[in-house]
Amino acid sequence: MVTIDTNYPRQVRRGLLGLTVLFCTSCGGDSAPADGKDASTEVDADITAPAYVLTSPAADETGVSRYTDITVEFDESVVLKSAPALVLVDSDGLELAGTVTVNGAVVTLSLDAGLVAEATYTARIDSGIEDSAGNPFAEARSWSFQISPRSWGSAEIIEPIANQGSWDPKLGVDDLGNALVVWQRGSTNIPDWSIWANRYSAGNGWGTAHKIETNEAVAAYPDVATDSAGNGIAVWYQEINGTETWSNRYQVGSGWGTAQVTLGNSSDFPKIEMNASGTALAIAGRQTIRYQPGTGWEASELPVADFGGQPTVALDGSGNALAVFRDGIVSFDIWFSRLAVNLGWASPEPVENNDNLGEASQPQLAGDLAGNATAVWSQEDPGFDPEWSIWANHYAPLTGWGTPEIIDSNALDAWSPKVARDDSGRAMVVWEQSDGVRFSVWARRYDPIDGWGTAEAIESQDGEAGAPEVALDADGNALVVWLEHDGTRLNIMSRVHELGEGWGDAELVEQNSSGDARSPQIALDLAGNAVVVWEQSDGANTRIWSNRRE
């Protein structure tokens, strides 16, 4: 819906229906003018309607910014009489929300959110605009323009303090592309390690980095998650009364709150997941704790059995959770447990039953709003020397887990799988694959109707490549980033897979040649625009960098 700002000066009309208006220049009593002439002055009325002079963006313009305002300039000053006055619609005919204002002869529509890359939009001047004499703009007009294709911008440092090192960034992005980033900061003097954060505002850029905890104790290994509106929670490991999990919440409009201990005596580095409505689940070692908007943190819970190691969690739209972990006691298999709202954790069950294989490791999980999920992991095969392969399985709330299957097609080692999934059941898995000489980055796509596609290498350079990360937008398009050595240093590369079109060209995400880039993290908003953050050496210290593809 378009909102009209009515806070403008309304001028007095100069005429009405073409009649001559008499303005009295001496209206006091019975005295006559000194010259004996009539005391009135005759003025012709304004009966000419305002006409537009130019528009921005112009008709048929291409390469328009996602954050453009829509403006129309008229040949005289105008006022806003009623809505609609100036509107913008997408290709489906849906009107976009924004605010219309007027400044003299210029009418502006400022949109509430950024536009979609490569999309075509139509602007329309409707009734509701008139000049100061009350003549309405009667010449309805519409025109179309196209937003520029997505491309990487210029990489930038998002924490400008250079006298210490920063590393291990974690990232959360909301539906509109606003981002929260947290990281660990300090020096070789371990006790001064602390947790810092910065926020990206879509269309406005990065804010100022600052510390979000004030304890004089080691703080490390942060994680962060956001809801669809941009509220978020950061968690981290802190050594105060033993080892504890601390948290701080970011609220849109008010910023970060006060850090608080969230889990006491937590023996592992915490992780957090959050669904679109703001329900969150933090996990550290054997402890889990849920956050509910409006009520805060609930009492901590212990799963029915030990989560073992390497837990990863997904939340559905109702707040039910699925946890996948590695049983590190006997078999080193991949197990799962489900947390139902108000019922607690269920007894763990296996995700894979590959009893004839060796140990499994590195589980990763991606879920959707309905509670469906895809899990991937690496598992050794004693028949291949042994070698490690990438496996996958799918979960549905009504039927449970399906049959695990191997998804890489190489007899050599495969490691570090990552998975992303959309609400339509499409998934993309990426991993590191050895060819006997070096590691490269491979990918395989899953479609709920067609099943698994073909595993393929997505980079072919001579240097080592690895540490892939993947994100999927609402339309099933994927963006992958990874580390690649060019013979001198580690760079961050990217590649896009568009549904129905396949892979695009590999692109460099950062252009800094001063030192190695590491630890890339990626997230997409609803429109498919990407934020990437990473740590990179400047020759003296490690800094946190970011770039956007929009």
Side-chain angles (χ1 to χ4, degrees), residues 46-63:
D46 177 5
I47 60 173
T48 304
Y52 69 86
V53 177
L54 58 86
T55 63
S56 178
D60 301 321
E61 184 175 346
T62 59

Side-chain angles (χ1 to χ4, degrees), residues 457-503:
I458 62 173
E459 56 80 33
S460 58
Q461 301 302 309
D462 294 333
E464 292 276 350
E469 298 285 339
V470 61
L472 214 61
D473 69 17
D475 296 321
N477 305 305
L479 179 62
V480 182
V481 297
W482 66 90
L483 297 181
E484 187 173 293
H485 204 279
D486 63 7
T488 302
R489 69 181 187 92
L490 286 170
N491 300 294
I492 297 178
M493 303 296 295
S494 70
R495 200 168 180 188
V496 175
H497 183 280
E498 296 209 9
L499 188 65
E501 297 184 15
W503 292 100

Side-chain angles (χ1 to χ4, degrees), residues 34-47:
D35 57 5
K37 295 182 180 180
D38 188 84
S40 63
T41 301
E42 186 174 287
V43 178
D44 289 335
D46 177 5
I47 60 173

Side-chain angles (χ1 to χ4, degrees), residues 261-333:
V261 61
T262 305
L263 287 171
N265 298 317
S266 54
S267 60
D268 207 349
F269 309 140
K271 294 183 179 181
I272 189 167
E273 290 292 329
M274 182 179 289
N275 65 15
S277 62
T279 297
L281 185 74
I283 180 171
R286 289 200 63 219
Q287 296 186 83
T288 64
I289 188 169
R290 185 195 303 269
Y291 178 91
Q292 293 285 13
T295 60
W297 292 105
E298 299 176 347
S300 62
E301 298 180 76
L302 292 177
V304 174
D306 195 343
F307 268 159
Q310 306 171 352
T312 179
V313 176
L315 283 178
D316 67 17
S318 300
N320 303 300
L322 196 66
V324 171
F325 57 95
R326 182 190 192 218
D327 173 18
I329 300 176
V330 179
S331 60
F332 296 100
D333 294 327

Side-chain angles (χ1 to χ4, degrees), residues 109-359:
L109 170 60
S110 300
L111 299 167
D112 290 351
L115 302 175
V116 177
E118 300 185 77
T120 297
Y121 293 89
T122 299
R124 185 174 68 246
I125 312 171
D126 284 332
S127 60
I129 297 174
E130 60 183 32
D131 64 15
S132 56
N135 299 302
F137 175 73
E139 184 184 352
R141 170 174 167 76
S142 63
W143 72 101
S144 298
F145 56 88
Q146 187 179 44
I147 305 302
S148 61
R150 289 189 180 92
S151 61
W152 289 108
S154 298
E156 57 184 316
I157 298 173
I158 65 172
E159 49 97 21
I161 307 172
N163 61 351
Q164 289 184 318
S166 297
W167 59 96
D168 196 22
K170 293 296 187 293
L171 171 67
V173 172
D174 69 15
D175 288 353
L176 298 180
N178 305 299
L180 287 178
V181 182
V182 297
W183 63 89
Q184 179 178 333
R185 179 170 178 76
S187 65
T188 54
N189 181 21
I190 293 179
D192 71 357
W193 288 357
S194 56
I195 306 300
W196 286 64
N198 201 347
R199 183 176 187 267
Y200 178 87
S201 174
N204 298 311
W206 289 99
T208 301
H210 61 279
K211 191 177 177 182
I212 62 171
E213 51 82 28
T214 57
N215 296 307
E216 297 298 327
V218 171
Y221 307 105
D223 197 13
V224 68
T226 56
D227 63 20
S228 61
N231 306 299
I233 297 177
V235 295
W236 62 90
Y237 166 96
Q238 192 137 32
E239 295 181 358
I240 297 181
N241 298 313
T243 58
E244 299 172 327
T245 293
W246 281 66
S247 68
N248 198 343
R249 185 169 186 266
Y250 179 88
Q251 178 72 39
V252 174
S254 57
W256 290 99
T258 301
Q260 63 182 101
V261 61
T262 305
L263 287 171
N265 298 317
S266 54
S267 60
D268 207 349
F269 309 140
K271 294 183 179 181
I272 189 167
E273 290 292 329
M274 182 179 289
N275 65 15
S277 62
T279 297
L281 185 74
I283 180 171
R286 289 200 63 219
Q287 296 186 83
T288 64
I289 188 169
R290 185 195 303 269
Y291 178 91
Q292 293 285 13
T295 60
W297 292 105
E298 299 176 347
S300 62
E301 298 180 76
L302 292 177
V304 174
D306 195 343
F307 268 159
Q310 306 171 352
T312 179
V313 176
L315 283 178
D316 67 17
S318 300
N320 303 300
L322 196 66
V324 171
F325 57 95
R326 182 190 192 218
D327 173 18
I329 300 176
V330 179
S331 60
F332 296 100
D333 294 327
I334 304 301
W335 289 68
F336 88 100
S337 182
R338 186 170 187 270
L339 173 65
V341 175
N342 299 323
L343 295 178
W345 287 99
S347 298
E349 301 178 43
V351 174
E352 51 86 14
N353 51 8
N354 301 323
D355 295 334
N356 59 328
L357 299 180
E359 64 180 87

Side-chain angles (χ1 to χ4, degrees), residues 4-130:
I4 284 188
D5 182 356
T6 57
N7 185 24
Y8 54 83
R10 180 85 178 202
Q11 299 181 25
V12 178
R13 296 181 180 180
R14 293 173 293 168
L16 181 64
L17 300 178
L19 299 177
T20 298
V21 180
L22 300 180
F23 292 90
C24 178
T25 59
S26 178
C27 300
D30 298 328
S31 60
D35 57 5
K37 295 182 180 180
D38 188 84
S40 63
T41 301
E42 186 174 287
V43 178
D44 289 335
D46 177 5
I47 60 173
T48 304
Y52 69 86
V53 177
L54 58 86
T55 63
S56 178
D60 301 321
E61 184 175 346
T62 59
V64 176
S65 168
R66 290 185 55 240
Y67 299 104
T68 186
D69 286 339
I70 315 302
T71 63
V72 180
E73 183 177 348
F74 292 87
D75 61 351
E76 61 176 315
S77 294
V78 293
V79 294
L80 303 179
K81 181 179 180 182
S82 62
L86 178 59
V87 298
L88 187 70
V89 297
D90 62 17
S91 58
D92 294 324
L94 299 176
E95 184 178 321
L96 278 67
T99 301
V100 178
T101 57
V102 63
N103 183 13
V106 179
V107 177
T108 301
L109 170 60
S110 300
L111 299 167
D112 290 351
L115 302 175
V116 177
E118 300 185 77
T120 297
Y121 293 89
T122 299
R124 185 174 68 246
I125 312 171
D126 284 332
S127 60
I129 297 174
E130 60 183 32

